[in-house]
Amino acid sequence: MVILQAIDAGGKDEAISYIFSNLNAQGLRTISVKKPSDTEKKHDYLWRIHEGLPEKGEVGILNRSYYEEVIAPRIHDLLEEEEVPDDQDVWKMRYRQINDFERYLVENGFRVVKFLFNVSKDEQKKRLLERIKDPKKNFEFSFSDVEEREHWDEYQDIFAELVSHTSTEHAPWHILPADDEWFTRYIVTEVMNDVLREIDPQYPKLTDEDQEKLDEAIKKLESE
């Protein structure tokens, strides 16, 4: 499972298009985590992630992720009253829950690879202006991007805390110098190559019974 996390215009979409499009689409699952729906709000905050979890043999990509649940609600004070425990820090509690969730995945054979696109404020401004001014890129622009920029310092503080609490031995964060798009893609490619080498995926092995059936099928086709 690959997590791509960033502030607006960080370069996540471009990384998906450039790198992961080289994978067989049949083995690739991608979801974009956006504002939760009314149905999703009725469940625990990790519930909506499950449809994006990969099956064995697949690569699942989360374009933003459950980490939004320790970012946006904190910036905009969106937590419901019943979600705030009386005796503990809700954010530290969620960091622990997320760490436990990722450990659970890893211990069940699913690698968790996390990338944080660290783009500068000046570079974000440049990219947002390109989206606004270029008609071919207008579809990428959201008015909320400019509004969220007003919370820049808050986002930076939260990202720093998030990384310090959730970069673990079983699921470390890879911090990308996202101002340089080429170098960012290079790092993502190298990390993913290393992960795939460690996993060492192999074609399924046939049982003796299946091999016999295969041999019979070969004889049948060759004798036509």
Side-chain angles (χ1 to χ4, degrees), residues 14 38 74 104 122 133 140 162 175:
E14 290 78 8
D38 290 338
R74 194 168 178 179
Y104 167 81
D122 287 343
K133 293 181 177 181
E140 297 179 354
L162 180 157
I175 313 300

Side-chain angles (χ1 to χ4, degrees), residues 193-224:
N193 282 340
D194 287 344
V195 170
L196 289 172
R197 290 190 191 101
E198 290 174 13
I199 294 174
D200 190 23
Q202 302 292 323
Y203 289 108
K205 292 183 178 180
L206 293 176
T207 64
D208 291 341
E209 182 181 352
D210 286 338
Q211 185 62 57
E212 289 180 10
K213 291 181 179 179
L214 192 67
D215 292 339
E216 291 176 8
I218 292 173
K219 292 178 182 178
K220 183 176 182 179
L221 288 172
E222 289 179 342
S223 63
E224 287 183 359

Side-chain angles (χ1 to χ4, degrees), residues 146-176:
V146 176
E147 296 170 2
E148 292 301 307
R149 187 174 162 83
E150 297 175 3
H151 299 281
W152 180 271
D153 291 339
E154 293 174 75
Y155 274 108
Q156 302 310 305
D157 290 341
I158 290 174
F159 278 131
E161 182 181 293
L162 180 157
V163 169
S164 68
H165 282 82
T166 62
S167 192
T168 60
E169 184 177 351
H170 54 273
W173 278 103
H174 302 277
I175 313 300
L176 306 173

